Amino acid sequence: MNAAVWPYWSWVLPILGVTALWASGSGKRWGWLVGFTGQLLWVVYALASRQYGFC
């Protein structure tokens, strides 16, 4: 995957993580699902961009 394919990954993934932290800290159960989904997307991003340190 090239960074030009979808350059918003570097913004969406951290925002997803912060949202998950806020929601989980506020006692919202869906925050854990958002956090888990965000982590899976980080792995996809790391493998697609060959930046294995993100795993």
Side-chain angles (χ1 to χ4, degrees):
M1 176 172 119
N2 189 346
V5 173
W6 201 56
Y8 303 108
W9 279 78
S10 61
W11 284 97
V12 171
L13 293 176
I15 289 171
L16 205 69
V18 169
T19 302
L21 287 172
W22 169 80
S24 298
S26 297
K28 298 179 183 356
R29 300 186 81 147
W30 55 267
W32 292 97
L33 180 62
V34 172
F36 181 73
T37 303
Q39 291 303 310
L40 289 177
L41 289 175
W42 272 111
V43 171
V44 169
Y45 174 73
L47 295 175
S49 64
R50 295 184 181 166
Q51 296 180 20
Y52 304 117
F54 283 114
C55 287

